[in-house]
């Protein structure tokens, strides 16, 4: 077990490492990268060729207040001339200032202040739409790069496709699509949904119609007049129950990743829209990217809780990975330490089965004395801790003999929309019951004990942790609610921009029945009850525009006042 000083040195080394946040291959052959260079260096946007930095375009040191600003992502214009870089305003994840940078000249050509960070839509090589903050609302406004005076409010809800090559909008009869270089629309009637991935000549879209979700492949081409036209449409929805996770494309092939509970698999689609392989994925592996090597070999970049990144080839003829001992390889670290991942099942308060993904050293003795970290989210139809992912901190915790657990809490989409509905609004207590049942189950099976158990969650997961630690403090030694929504009765007021928008997930306080429901599990209300609470580390962002830090301040005050 590492000492406190060894952990501090380890964390310092990790925070000094450079991490690539986003990358984009340009037509020129250069690669544009957004990198976090650690605590001591600025974030930067730079051009690379063959992994060598050619030119730095823009850094946080170029900002007026580099200490409280950060680069979030970037948006490249259709012809790769400009890149739009949102810089967070005082660390906010939602409010930003935009900087339009000329890529060739490496200089800022335009600034736009006080916009939202979620979404820049290029509608032509020189025009884009961005949402300006106006009180609780945001208003879409069109700008022109070469003339900052030209601004126009936009009534249509426009979006870019994943590649940025197309613009989409909803119509009364379905959806319309056009090229960013052409103002003529192609309407696809009877389709309601969004494009999730696209290859050179096809788009893959999730369709939502009459409560049924489908995955449709649209093959397209350009007419002689360069107008977008639809060639064919094919339904690729899996025959079994499935939740689409992510898609990748390479050389007109597509790799579509699905899950349903503990099961995960990849369906490989060729240029003709035919499924050529269905590849089961073990519980330890996560797909990060996909590449076609030749007609017989495709390659996946994978990660596991133990290995950050590893490229593994798959043979389409033999329908097998080139590396036969794949799971053992992905669960063995550089020191030769082997780790084990498995799924267990707990019963929640209402009898619902809750799958739990756990990871630990293969040589660990399960006698109840091991440190246990249980992480959860359980909301907004998101799948978080239940899927495997690499984290340097979790890897170090596992190496030192810890056990990591990620239960599939209701409120997520591990089993589709019904699983989400079972954990929202008046069903929100189910999420907390699921977490409590998972912890109790792991204690019963001697994975750990209350004296060695920690729980952690962020944002909506912070609400989860706050509710669990106030409802069942006897199960825990440590609780870490991060950026948590903890005062459910005042969220509409505290979270000025987003609190009302969360009502579809939590409910609101204007309705008496909904008010009583929120009051029943609000961590701030429950923390008023005097009892012995576990050690609690409450994390918040001083300038967090989504979850007001007042949630955390008030919660800490209540815990201190009620602690016995």
């Amino acid at each position: 077990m590492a000492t406190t000083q060894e952990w501090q040195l380890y964390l310092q080394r990790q925070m000094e490492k450079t991490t690539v946040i986003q990358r984009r291959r340009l037509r020129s052959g250069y690669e544009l990268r957004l990198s976090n260079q650690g605590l001591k260096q600025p974030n930067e946007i730079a051009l690379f060729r063959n992994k060598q930095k050619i030119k730095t375009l823009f850094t946080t040191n170029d900002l007026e207040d580099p200490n409280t600003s950060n680069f979030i992502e970037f948006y490249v214009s259709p012809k790769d001339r400009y890149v739009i870089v949102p810089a967070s305003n005082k660390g906010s994840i939602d409010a930003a200032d935009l900087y339009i940078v000329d890529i060739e000249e490496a200089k800022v050509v335009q600034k736009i202040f006080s916009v939202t960070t979620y979404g820049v839509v290029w509608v032509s090589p020189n025009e884009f739409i961005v949402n300006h903050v106006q009180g609780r609302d945001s208003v879409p406004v069109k700008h022109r790069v070469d003339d900052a005076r030209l601004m126009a409010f936009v009534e249509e809800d426009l979006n870019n496709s994943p590649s940025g090559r197309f613009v989409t909008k909803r119509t009364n009869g379905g959806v319309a699509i056009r090229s960013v270089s052409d103002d003529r629309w192609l309407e696809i009637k009877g389709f309601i949904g969004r494009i999730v991935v696209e290859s050179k000549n096809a788009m893959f879209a999730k369709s939502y119609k009459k409560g049924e979700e489908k995955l449709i492949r649209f093959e397209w081409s350009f007419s002689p007049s360069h107008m977008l036209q639809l060639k064919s449409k094919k339904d690729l929805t899996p025959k079994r129950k499935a939740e689409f996770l992510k898609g990748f494309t390479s050389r007109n092939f597509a790799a579509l990743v699905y899950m349903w509970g503990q099961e995960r698999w990849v369906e490989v689609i060729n240029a003709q829209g035919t499924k050529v392989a269905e590849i089961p994925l073990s519980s330890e592996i996560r797909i990060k990217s996909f590449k076609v090597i030749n007609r017989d070999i495709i390659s996946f970049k994978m990660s596991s809780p133990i290995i950050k990144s590893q490229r593994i080839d798959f043979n389409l003829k033999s329908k097998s990975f080139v590396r036969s001992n794949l799971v053992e390889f992905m669960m063995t670290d550089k020191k030769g330490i082997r780790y084990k991942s498995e799924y267990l099942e707990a019963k929640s308060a209402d009898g619902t089965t809750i799958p739990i993904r756990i990871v630990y050293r293969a040589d660990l003795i399960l006698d109840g004395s091991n440190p246990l970290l249980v992480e959860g989210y359980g909301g907004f139809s998101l799948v978080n801790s239940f899927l495997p992912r690499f984290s340097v901190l979790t890897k170090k915790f596992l190496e030192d003999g810890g056990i990591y657990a990620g239960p599939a809490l209701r409120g997520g989409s591990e089993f589709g929309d019904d699983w989400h509905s079972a954990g929202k609004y008046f069903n929100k207590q189910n999420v907390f019951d699921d977490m409590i049942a998972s912890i109790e189950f792991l204690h019963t099976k001697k994975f750990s004990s209350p004296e060695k158990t920690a729980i952690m969650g962020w944002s909506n997961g912070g609400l989860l942790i706050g509710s669990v630690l106030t409802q069942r403090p006897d199960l825990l030694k440590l609780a870490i609610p991060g950026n948590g929504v903890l005062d459910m009765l005042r969220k509409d007021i505290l979270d000025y921009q987003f609190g009302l928008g969360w009502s579809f997930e939590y409910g609101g306080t204007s309705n008496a029945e909904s008010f009583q429901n929120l009051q029943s599990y609000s961590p701030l209300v429950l923390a008023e009850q005097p009892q012995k609470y576990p050690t609690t580390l409450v994390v918040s962002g001083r300038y967090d525009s989504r979850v007001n830090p007042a949630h955390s301040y008030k919660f800490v005050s209540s815990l201190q006042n009620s602690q016995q």
Side-chain angles (χ1 to χ4, degrees):
M1 185 68 69
T3 64
T4 300
Q5 185 178 12
E6 288 173 334
W7 263 99
Q8 289 174 339
L9 291 173
Y10 177 80
L11 291 173
Q12 182 178 345
R13 288 196 298 269
Q14 296 303 322
M15 289 188 291
E16 291 175 352
K17 288 184 176 181
T18 296
T19 303
V20 178
I21 301 171
Q22 184 181 353
R23 62 180 78 208
R24 167 80 176 267
R25 181 72 62 180
L26 304 180
R27 299 180 183 184
S28 61
Y30 290 103
E31 184 179 75
L32 193 63
R33 291 186 188 179
L34 166 57
S35 301
N36 182 335
Q37 302 187 99
L39 292 179
K40 297 181 179 180
Q41 299 294 328
N43 283 15
E44 70 169 19
I45 302 281
L47 283 176
F48 285 76
R49 184 186 285 276
N50 298 326
K51 299 182 179 181
Q52 297 294 319
K53 186 191 295 187
I54 304 300
K55 179 168 54 177
T56 298
L57 303 183
F58 195 41
T59 79
T60 48
N61 280 346
D62 298 323
L63 304 176
E64 293 181 5
D65 190 359
N67 294 323
T68 61
S69 298
N70 195 20
F71 292 158
I72 302 163
E73 54 191 342
F74 62 75
Y75 301 85
V76 179
S77 66
K79 295 185 177 181
D80 295 351
R81 179 176 178 182
Y82 304 107
V83 57
I84 295 180
V85 185
S88 63
N89 194 331
K90 293 186 176 180
S92 169
I93 59 174
D94 295 297
D97 299 326
L98 287 192
Y99 294 82
I100 296 90
V101 181
D102 186 301
I103 294 177
E104 184 175 346
E105 298 183 11
K107 70 175 185 179
V108 175
V109 296
Q110 192 173 337
K111 300 177 186 178
I112 301 174
F113 298 102
S114 298
V115 301
T116 63
T117 59
Y118 43 92
V120 172
V121 181
W122 284 99
V123 293
S124 78
N126 292 321
E127 295 176 321
F128 61 92
I129 296 171
V130 66
N131 289 299
H132 286 245
V133 177
Q134 285 193 355
R136 281 183 180 251
D137 300 318
S138 58
V139 179
V141 178
K142 183 164 72 173
H143 295 263
R144 187 176 179 89
V145 175
D146 51 10
D147 191 343
R149 298 170 299 172
L150 292 179
M151 298 172 58
F153 292 104
V154 180
E155 295 184 0
E156 295 176 310
D157 183 16
L158 303 178
N159 291 283
N160 280 133
S161 65
S163 70
R165 293 182 296 168
F166 302 101
V167 183
T168 67
K169 69 176 181 180
R170 287 188 178 184
T171 66
N172 291 332
V175 66
I177 305 172
R178 69 168 176 83
S179 165
V180 292
S181 302
D182 186 29
D183 60 4
R184 294 170 295 178
W185 292 92
L186 165 67
E187 185 174 3
I188 303 175
K189 295 184 177 180
F191 173 80
I192 301 174
R194 64 184 178 88
I195 300 170
V196 292
V197 67
E198 57 187 295
S199 60
K200 186 176 180 181
N201 68 333
M203 305 173 186
F204 298 81
K206 286 178 71 173
S207 169
Y208 310 95
K209 192 175 182 180
K210 296 180 181 179
E212 186 178 13
E213 181 178 299
K214 291 182 175 292
L215 192 79
I216 310 296
R217 180 183 185 270
F218 296 101
E219 187 173 350
W220 57 269
S221 64
F222 285 115
S223 69
S225 64
H226 204 68
M227 180 178 176
L228 189 67
Q229 58 187 12
L230 183 64
K231 291 181 63 178
S232 65
K233 181 174 71 172
K234 188 172 185 179
D235 188 344
L236 295 178
T237 307
K239 302 302 181 184
R240 52 175 162 161
K241 289 184 176 181
E243 182 72 13
F244 176 80
L245 289 178
K246 199 169 186 180
F248 308 91
T249 60
S250 174
R251 294 189 187 180
N252 279 347
F253 275 62
L256 310 175
V257 185
Y258 294 94
M259 74 171 292
W260 191 260
Q262 298 95 313
E263 290 186 82
R264 284 183 297 116
W265 67 96
V266 182
E267 296 188 1
V268 181
I269 311 297
N270 66 12
Q272 289 71 46
T274 302
K275 184 169 72 173
V276 294
E278 183 173 310
I279 308 170
L281 291 177
S282 71
S283 62
E284 299 89 351
I285 292 172
R286 188 179 194 131
I287 302 295
K288 299 176 67 177
S289 68
F290 163 72
K291 184 178 181 180
V292 174
I293 306 300
N294 55 48
R295 60 189 298 178
D296 297 327
I297 303 295
I298 58 177
S299 183
F300 296 97
K301 185 176 285 187
M302 300 177 170
S303 68
S304 75
I306 309 306
I307 294 179
K308 184 176 182 179
S309 184
Q310 180 68 45
R311 188 163 290 284
I312 304 291
D313 293 344
F314 182 86
N315 190 306
L316 289 172
K317 281 190 174 181
S318 65
K319 299 292 191 294
S320 62
F321 286 104
V322 174
R323 183 178 289 276
S324 57
N325 59 340
L326 179 60
V327 173
E328 180 180 340
F329 174 77
M330 294 297 292
M331 293 299 288
T332 304
D333 66 15
K334 295 179 180 179
K335 298 179 182 179
I337 302 173
R338 291 184 59 189
Y339 297 82
K340 184 178 181 181
S341 177
E342 59 180 316
Y343 285 106
L344 304 172
E345 293 183 343
K347 291 289 184 182
S348 194
D350 62 357
T352 301
T353 299
I354 307 301
I356 311 170
R357 180 179 67 87
I358 60 170
V359 186
Y360 56 94
R361 284 180 62 142
D363 59 359
L364 205 64
I365 299 174
L366 303 178
D367 58 2
S369 65
N370 303 298
L372 170 66
L373 173 62
V374 187
E375 189 172 7
Y377 189 80
F380 294 90
S381 198
L382 297 177
V383 181
N384 286 355
S385 54
F386 189 62
L387 290 178
R389 71 180 187 276
F390 178 84
S391 161
V392 291
L393 297 180
T394 304
K395 167 60 175 64
K396 182 63 176 174
F397 174 70
L398 294 171
E399 183 181 328
D400 279 355
I403 298 173
Y404 176 88
L409 307 174
R410 281 175 282 185
S413 60
E414 290 87 344
F415 293 95
D417 289 339
D418 290 344
W419 197 251
H420 173 218
S421 297
K424 72 174 187 178
Y425 212 63
F426 288 107
N427 296 322
K428 199 64 185 177
Q429 182 60 40
N430 286 339
V431 183
F432 316 135
D433 290 341
D434 295 351
M435 186 73 161
I436 290 169
S438 300
I439 297 168
E440 290 180 320
F441 175 83
L442 293 171
H443 290 171
T444 301
K445 295 300 181 180
K446 299 296 182 182
F447 283 95
S448 190
S449 64
E451 294 75 25
K452 295 276 188 173
T453 298
I455 58 174
M456 179 171 67
W458 302 87
S459 192
N460 174 77
L463 163 62
L464 165 70
I465 302 308
S467 294
V468 172
L469 82 88
T470 50
Q471 293 184 33
R472 289 298 304 275
D474 58 302
L475 294 177
L476 311 169
K477 181 66 175 179
L478 172 66
I480 308 175
N483 304 93
V485 185
L486 300 166
D487 184 357
M488 300 306 295
L489 301 182
R490 296 178 183 83
K491 64 177 178 62
D492 297 352
I493 300 172
L494 291 176
D495 305 305
Y496 185 63
Q497 273 192 283
F498 298 92
L500 290 175
W502 292 336
S503 294
F504 76 92
E505 184 78 15
Y506 303 128
T509 55
S510 59
N511 175 277
E513 189 178 3
S514 178
F515 181 95
Q516 292 172 359
N517 180 58
L518 292 170
Q519 187 178 40
S520 69
Y521 66 79
S522 176
L524 188 65
V525 173
L526 298 178
E528 295 174 359
Q529 179 181 351
Q531 55 184 322
K532 185 179 179 180
Y533 292 105
T535 300
T536 304
L537 173 64
V538 182
V539 182
S540 185
R542 182 180 178 186
Y543 298 108
D544 191 339
S545 60
R546 184 168 297 186
V547 182
N548 194 311
H551 284 278
S552 297
Y553 298 157
K554 295 163 71 178
F555 187 60
V556 168
S557 178
S558 291
L559 287 179
Q560 290 175 332
N561 187 57
S562 302
Q563 180 70 290
Q564 287 189 335

